[in-house]
Amino acid sequence: MTDKVVLAYSGGLDTSVAIKWIREKYNLDVIALTIDVGNERDFSTVRQKALDVGAIKAEVIDGKELFVKYFIFPALQANALYEGQYPLATALSRPLMAKLLVDTAVAEGATAVAHGCTGKGNDQVRFDVAINALAPSLKIIAPAREWRMTREETIDYAQRHNIPIPITADSPYSLDENLWGKSIECGVLEDPWAEPPEEIYTWTTSPGNAPDKPEYVEIGFDKGIPVTINGQEIDGVSLIRQLNELAGKHGIGRIDHVENRLVGIKSREIYEAPAAVVLIQAHQALEAMTLSKDQLRFKQKVSQECADLIYNGLWFSSLNRDLAAYVLSSQRYVTGTVRLRLFKGNSSVVGRKSPKSLYSLGLATYDKGDEFDQSAAEGFIHLWGLPVRTQAQVQLIGEPDGPLSIPPPKQAEED
Ligand code: ARG
């Protein structure tokens, strides 16, 4: 009996060619596995294409709910943004795909799994590290990393083997899409000085053409998880979809990022992530009301660690589990509602409220009702400034070029 391999199949050029190529090169039966993570596609066509090209079996798994529950929402609670910009849509989907690939391989008695990543990107790292962690005995085949074909040669291979070439093969761009966002690279985008052409954007209206009237949206959170839009309860998948639509219509969520890949390359990437941008912004605004100053400062460091480990393919590590436990604990009181104004490419937080808010009007107000004891400020400042005063007296007063020595203003020249 021929051994089997489970291939993560997108329906695109590379993974279609991979079905034939694996058969020729490794003499394995290919089972195509397509995972629906919210990339709007006609999955029955994708499935049929895999069979037409030569897969012995083709399966589609709906991974949307798992993706939201175990990957997107924990990343949102962590405010995970790689290098402060990229909400990690592609990066978050890889460990889930690896898990489903491995599960399918076990169920099918396959000896190997395969994916369509090249040898230059982060995705190969995420797949391989995750697969090795989950099932070290499975062989990993990465055709696009092994075959050393250029894009033209790949198209030529497809033509010679009667593999239908998707119209998207005409496009110079490499795309990846899921619920949390769309990643766009290659083509003219490789010139970091070139403004991205409007044609690459399919999720967002150009801000200039966005509606002339602002739109308001209220997002309700329960322990850091978004659960309502404008007061209506809604499941996670639908909530993200609805916000992608709404914020995208107002031109929100375009990101132009020169990022540092794990393999050492700087690359220019464009992202569209309307829901992610709005949700992270709203979530941070609610945290500002419900976490203490020290919790907020510490959480920023945790966020950065989380983003890095997601980007770097370390999802299935104990560090991720440990950080996730901290993040989850930090969300105990992150419950409430945030109101945002969406207008011509920008979303702004214009209101927030929480039953567990640490904001106290009695302490903050300059009007009547002030509960803050201003007389206590004097003693507080006396002690707070003690080390500065001491240092000034002992070391700094009269020190040339010291921190206290600002030269006097130049005299106006007399004419
Ligand atoms: N640079 C992003 C990342 O590493 C996006 C990768 C997009 N992948 C793709 N196959 N087009 O997460």
Side-chain angles (χ1 to χ4, degrees):
M1 211 177 78
T2 318
D3 278 348
K4 288 181 272 189
V5 55
V6 182
L7 166 72
Y9 183 67
S10 69
L13 177 68
D14 283 348
T15 51
S16 298
V17 167
I19 293 179
K20 270 264 154 34
W21 188 89
I22 291 175
R23 172 97 251 167
E24 279 190 349
K25 171 94 197 278
Y26 289 97
N27 189 32
L28 293 170
D29 279 344
V30 179
I31 297 169
L33 174 66
T34 304
I35 296 155
D36 174 3
V37 275
N39 24 359
E40 306 290 338
R41 274 257 172 90
D42 176 0
F43 287 103
S44 60
T45 311
V46 173
R47 193 178 162 273
Q48 190 54 48
K49 182 168 173 189
L51 295 170
D52 293 346
V53 177
I56 58 152
K57 193 169 171 183
E59 224 189 296
V60 178
I61 298 182
D62 180 354
K64 293 195 289 293
E65 277 177 26
L66 289 177
F67 189 38
V68 170
K69 180 165 178 203
Y70 292 99
F71 295 86
I72 294 181
F73 281 170
L76 169 62
Q77 289 179 309
N79 302 316
L81 287 172
Y82 182 61
E83 295 182 335
Q85 292 197 67
Y86 164 39
L88 294 158
T90 299
L92 282 164
S93 70
R94 300 318 190 198
L96 172 62
M97 292 179 170
K99 166 84 171 88
L100 297 173
L101 265 183
V102 166
D103 287 352
T104 307
V106 171
E108 298 285 349
T111 52
V113 291
H115 57 70
C117 305
T118 70
K120 291 186 76 170
N122 300 308
D123 287 328
Q124 53 168 346
V125 181
R126 298 167 185 150
F127 270 114
D128 290 10
V129 171
I131 292 161
N132 282 150
L134 293 163
S137 61
L138 280 177
K139 180 180 164 60
I140 301 172
I141 302 174
R145 184 167 62 195
E146 296 170 27
W147 64 36
R148 287 169 206 284
M149 291 191 275
T150 62
R151 196 159 176 81
E152 275 75 59
E153 287 162 354
T154 316
I155 291 176
D156 187 55
Y157 183 102
Q159 277 163 343
R160 279 187 285 115
H161 291 81
N162 286 325
I163 298 169
I165 297 161
I167 355 159
T168 48
D170 277 353
S171 147
Y173 306 110
S174 164
L175 307 177
D176 182 67
E177 289 181 83
N178 65 48
L179 276 175
W180 205 226
K182 170 174 170 186
S183 307
I184 313 152
E185 46 191 21
C186 303
V188 63
L189 304 176
E190 288 177 356
D191 173 1
W193 177 249
E195 181 173 352
E198 198 51 41
E199 68 188 22
I200 65 166
Y201 297 109
T202 54
W203 288 30
T204 54
T205 312
S206 169
N209 297 333
D212 290 324
K213 264 183 58 193
E215 192 165 341
Y216 290 83
V217 62
E218 289 186 10
I219 302 170
F221 289 85
D222 179 28
K223 299 193 170 76
I225 303 282
V227 288
T228 62
I229 294 186
N230 295 328
Q232 295 285 325
E233 258 177 51
I234 180 167
D235 67 278
V237 173
S238 311
L239 178 138
I240 293 169
R241 283 212 164 122
Q242 199 172 318
L243 283 176
N244 273 330
E245 186 84 17
L246 180 67
K249 182 178 84 184
H250 287 279
I252 293 156
R254 295 184 174 189
I255 298 160
D256 181 338
H257 186 191
V258 173
E259 77 190 28
N260 290 289
R261 285 195 191 160
L262 181 58
V263 294
I265 303 169
K266 276 193 195 294
S267 77
R268 199 273 192 101
E269 312 266 333
I270 304 294
Y271 301 106
E272 291 186 281
V277 163
V278 167
L279 283 170
I280 292 173
Q281 190 181 17
H283 180 252
Q284 284 174 328
L286 192 58
E287 287 192 330
M289 293 283 277
T290 52
L291 299 187
S292 70
K293 173 177 165 177
D294 293 325
Q295 283 178 299
L296 285 166
R297 281 172 61 96
F298 189 73
K299 184 140 187 288
Q300 273 188 10
K301 299 185 201 178
V302 174
S303 297
Q304 206 177 46
E305 290 299 326
C306 289
D308 280 3
L309 80 79
I310 294 167
Y311 189 85
N312 293 335
L314 304 177
W315 183 268
F316 293 112
S317 64
S318 289
L319 177 61
N320 190 22
R321 193 196 166 102
D322 297 345
L323 294 177
Y326 176 79
V327 169
L328 197 64
S329 169
S330 74
Q331 302 298 291
R332 294 191 312 285
Y333 301 117
V334 185
T335 293
T337 305
V338 178
R339 189 165 74 246
L340 301 108
R341 179 181 189 265
L342 314 178
F343 187 55
K344 295 225 179 263
N346 284 305
S347 60
S348 336
V349 172
V350 294
R352 63 292 262 166
K353 61 181 180 187
S354 164
K356 291 291 182 187
S357 173
L358 299 173
Y359 178 91
S360 158
L361 186 62
L363 293 177
T365 186
Y366 284 95
D367 294 339
K368 66 174 177 347
D370 185 0
E371 293 157 11
F372 185 83
D373 179 3
Q374 298 202 27
S375 67
E378 225 177 301
F380 165 73
I381 296 164
H382 187 72
L383 293 185
W384 174 250
L386 178 61
V388 178
R389 239 169 25 243
T390 306
Q391 189 164 44
Q393 278 158 22
V394 177
Q395 300 174 345
L396 307 181
I397 290 173
E399 186 187 39
D401 299 325
L404 304 183
S405 71
I406 296 167
K410 287 224 172 68
Q411 293 292 320
E413 304 231 344
E414 294 189 15
D415 19 38

